[in-house]
Amino acid sequence: MASWAALSPSIVEYFEGEDSYRCGYCKNESGSRSNGMWAHSMTVQDYQDLIDRGWRRSGKYVYKPVMNQTCCPQYTIRCRPLQFQPSKSHKKVLKKMLKFLAKGEISKGNCEDEPMEPTMEDTVAGDFALINKLDIQCDLKTLSDDLKESFESEEKKKGKSPKKEEPKELIQSQHIEEKLGSGEPSHPLKVHTAPKPGKGADLSKPPCRKAKEIRKERKRLKLMQQNPAGELEGFQAQGEPPSLFPRKANKSNQPKSLEDLIFESLPENASHKLEFTRFLCSSPLEAENPPHGPDCGYGSFHQQYWLDGRIIAVGVIDILPYCVSSVYLYYDPDYSFLSLGVYSALREIGFTRQLHQKTSQLSYYYMGFYIHSCPKMKYKGQYRPSDLLCPETYVWVPIEQCLSSLENSKYCRFNQDPEAVDEGRSKEPDRLQVFHKKAIMPYGVYKKQQRDPSEEAAVLQYAGLVGQACSERMLLLRN
């Protein structure tokens, strides 16, 4: 692991122009458009700054959708874990896992109420087709192996591989999903309205317990405000037995935190045991371990989920200076009934909160891209509070302020200030750093040696997309 003082600079190879390829969401054969570059190496700070400008990596390929041209605009979305409260559907997933571990109970049904995204054959194959079109010499063995295993998994699910084995590692049974990008989403939030008279309402039944408790709590708080001594006079009429000690209004009636739900204790004779391990994994990100960073350091990690000694899922995450960024989730489809995509996302939100305790600036959970125009991709908005990145000024805007605009147009500028501009834009392209013939030089020096007029257009396009700060730190490889 590299020391904080001796980091290698990011080295990237930019691909001029824009590429079009098959969209994994709307199935448009050539509607998905993006700019891209190959990261031979990259520091975590540079990648943090890039994703804050709408970039995202798939292996070593780093791409940025052309937002005003692509068929399905992809907006970078981040959750604010410090204020996060699990929704009803999130709690349902956590309780389902708890019941399975404690008693071996398997929920009935096949999660039909959970919207699913495009199959991985469509989404990942689309990305692979994009990379294949690039005229570069790169090692794609890892990505190729992932794709092969993904396709084998899909064939298995379709019944074309009836022979079942019990592998110690996820090989043929693994399923690759770009979690929170094309992985398993959470349950959609449902709004329950009171039934109209004559339409199935049963007035003889008492109101639901939750609503009743809320009303009781409100009355209790009101009485406590009227009587600071804490005597709850008149409250026994609601059917609650008298107490020798007045209740503390918040402790027992506060909703359980995410940590309470995840780490709820299991009985000694629990049916199953779920364990977690975390390892550094290969990626273009340089592993870093600064003195004031998280104990595990920064970089790319595999989070392994072990059930009774068998690995059932692997989450790939990037730990960056200001966030945990979700990349992929590999999981055994035999355990899809546990909603592992949702469960792992909630675990990662909890992990972000844990990292924040030591590294205060690390306080966000990046969920990849939010695609409002794709109905099956709206689930990411359920991880509240969350923000979307303005594609023009690169400022974060609460998602609630963006939804009405997205209902009217696929592509939107979220920043409502018409005078606002991209503060991080490229202002001095001559200061951009170029790596040419094993020498590092400013672009202002490099361009004097070049005679190809198209060279400048490509470099200026790159500078505009990565911004001034990254253009001065990263080395742009030119042949």
Side-chain angles (χ1 to χ4, degrees):
M1 182 173 289
S3 68
W4 188 244
L7 295 176
S8 300
S10 301
I11 302 176
V12 299
E13 188 172 356
Y14 180 68
F15 307 118
E16 181 181 358
E18 299 161 357
D19 201 12
S20 60
Y21 54 99
R22 186 176 190 271
C23 178
Y25 304 106
C26 71
K27 307 300 187 280
N28 187 315
E29 289 298 328
S30 60
S32 189
R33 300 180 66 85
S34 67
N35 299 105
M37 58 187 174
W38 193 261
H40 294 274
S41 66
M42 182 166 286
T43 67
V44 292
Q45 184 60 62
D46 285 341
Y47 187 55
Q48 175 74 69
D49 289 349
L50 287 174
I51 62 175
D52 284 337
R53 292 184 64 82
W55 292 81
R56 183 164 172 79
R57 77 176 183 91
S58 179
K60 292 190 174 184
Y61 184 70
V62 188
Y63 63 99
K64 185 181 190 300
V66 183
M67 297 292 285
N68 59 352
Q69 297 180 29
T70 192
C71 55
C72 296
Q74 302 167 59
Y75 299 92
T76 303
I77 182 171
R78 71 179 186 185
C79 172
R80 284 175 261 153
L82 305 186
Q83 294 82 39
F84 175 79
Q85 283 293 334
S87 67
K88 183 178 179 181
S89 59
H90 296 152
K91 293 177 181 178
K92 184 177 179 181
V93 170
L94 295 173
K95 290 177 181 177
K96 178 167 58 176
M97 176 64 80
L98 186 66
K99 288 181 179 179
F100 175 72
L101 295 177
K103 303 178 182 179
E105 292 184 7
I106 299 177
S107 299
K108 296 180 180 179
N110 57 357
C111 301
E112 290 183 355
D113 58 332
E114 295 185 10
M116 294 303 294
E117 300 184 34
T119 65
M120 215 51 210
E121 285 186 5
D122 291 332
T123 307
V124 177
D127 288 344
F128 192 46
L130 181 154
I131 296 173
N132 260 342
K133 292 174 69 174
L134 304 174
D135 186 21
I136 53 176
Q137 297 295 323
C138 300
D139 182 11
L140 297 179
K141 183 179 185 301
T142 301
L143 180 57
S144 177
D145 289 345
D146 289 348
L147 287 168
K148 181 179 178 182
E149 290 163 352
S150 173
F151 296 158
E152 288 175 351
S153 176
E154 290 297 328
E155 293 298 309
K156 176 185 173 184
K157 290 170 67 177
K158 293 175 183 176
K160 295 183 180 180
S161 300
K163 186 178 179 180
K164 188 172 182 180
E165 300 178 359
E166 288 291 331
K168 294 183 179 180
E169 298 179 356
L170 262 68
I171 300 178
Q172 292 185 345
S173 65
Q174 77 176 7
H175 189 69
I176 176 174
E177 295 286 0
E178 184 184 355
K179 180 164 58 58
L180 298 174
S182 48
E184 178 190 21
S186 64
H187 299 286
L189 293 176
K190 298 179 181 179
V191 179
H192 298 280
T193 56
K196 296 180 180 179
K199 297 292 184 178
D202 187 353
L203 301 180
S204 65
K205 292 183 178 180
C208 68
R209 186 178 175 215
K210 184 177 180 182
K212 185 176 180 181
E213 288 179 351
I214 291 174
R215 290 196 296 273
K216 288 168 67 176
E217 179 62 20
R218 286 175 180 168
K219 186 167 184 178
R220 183 183 294 113
L221 290 173
K222 184 176 180 181
L223 289 170
M224 290 184 71
Q225 291 173 353
Q226 294 173 352
N227 190 352
E231 299 174 8
L232 304 183
E233 298 172 353
F235 203 76
Q236 295 178 29
Q238 299 295 324
E240 187 166 286
S243 173
L244 296 176
F245 304 98
R247 287 194 202 180
K248 294 182 179 179
N250 293 326
K251 186 68 175 178
S252 60
N253 292 279
Q254 268 193 339
K256 287 186 176 181
S257 69
L258 178 62
E259 289 76 11
D260 291 336
L261 293 166
I262 290 177
F263 300 112
E264 190 164 337
S265 59
L266 294 171
E268 292 183 1
N269 59 344
S271 298
H272 299 285
K273 183 178 182 181
L274 186 64
E275 299 175 291
F276 302 87
T277 57
R278 186 177 303 110
F279 299 97
L280 272 169
C281 63
S282 176
S283 89
L285 300 186
E286 297 288 338
E288 302 173 16
N289 196 5
H292 301 295
D295 292 336
C296 58
Y298 298 116
S300 299
F301 294 82
H302 280 164
Q303 294 205 123
Q304 300 180 347
Y305 295 71
W306 293 82
L307 181 67
D308 302 331
R310 177 185 179 185
I311 189 169
I312 63 169
V314 179
V316 182
I317 60 172
D318 292 333
I319 300 179
L320 305 175
Y322 305 120
C323 73
V324 169
S325 176
S326 176
V327 184
Y328 286 104
L329 176 73
Y330 304 78
Y331 71 90
D332 188 332
D334 291 344
Y335 294 91
S336 58
F337 64 89
L338 290 174
S339 302
L340 291 171
V342 180
Y343 181 77
S344 62
L346 295 172
R347 294 279 315 203
E348 288 170 7
I349 290 174
F351 179 51
T352 306
R353 287 154 66 133
Q354 177 187 339
L355 294 178
H356 172 79
Q357 293 178 4
K358 181 184 178 185
T359 310
S360 59
Q361 73 270 19
L362 204 164
S363 54
Y364 296 101
Y365 177 64
Y366 282 48
M367 301 180 283
F369 289 135
Y370 173 83
I371 307 176
H372 190 79
S373 58
C374 180
K376 294 181 180 180
M377 285 292 289
K378 292 184 179 181
Y379 69 90
K380 293 183 186 180
Q382 297 176 9
Y383 293 81
R384 302 283 181 95
S386 57
D387 309 301
L388 297 182
L389 186 67
C390 176
E392 296 183 9
T393 62
Y394 303 111
V395 297
W396 294 98
V397 180
I399 192 171
E400 296 85 354
Q401 299 177 23
C402 306
L403 296 179
S404 59
S405 299
L406 289 171
E407 288 294 328
N408 298 322
S409 175
K410 286 185 178 182
Y411 174 75
C412 297
R413 171 192 167 109
F414 299 136
N415 193 328
Q416 297 301 308
D417 181 0
E419 303 297 324
V421 296
D422 170 18
E423 297 295 340
R425 67 190 182 280
S426 175
K427 301 173 185 177
E428 300 179 81
D430 282 358
R431 294 172 60 88
L432 179 150
Q433 295 296 297
V434 174
F435 188 40
H436 178 60
K437 294 183 177 180
K438 298 183 180 180
I440 299 173
M441 65 192 76
Y443 177 65
V445 174
Y446 170 80
K447 69 180 181 180
K448 294 177 181 179
Q449 307 172 9
Q450 304 304 311
R451 297 180 180 179
D452 185 356
S454 65
E455 178 91 0
E456 184 171 14
V459 173
L460 292 180
Q461 184 184 52
Y462 159 82
L465 293 170
V466 303
Q468 186 69 35
C470 280
S471 72
E472 291 188 36
R473 291 196 307 259
M474 300 194 305
L475 304 183
L476 176 63
L477 181 63
R478 306 304 289 177
N479 295 323

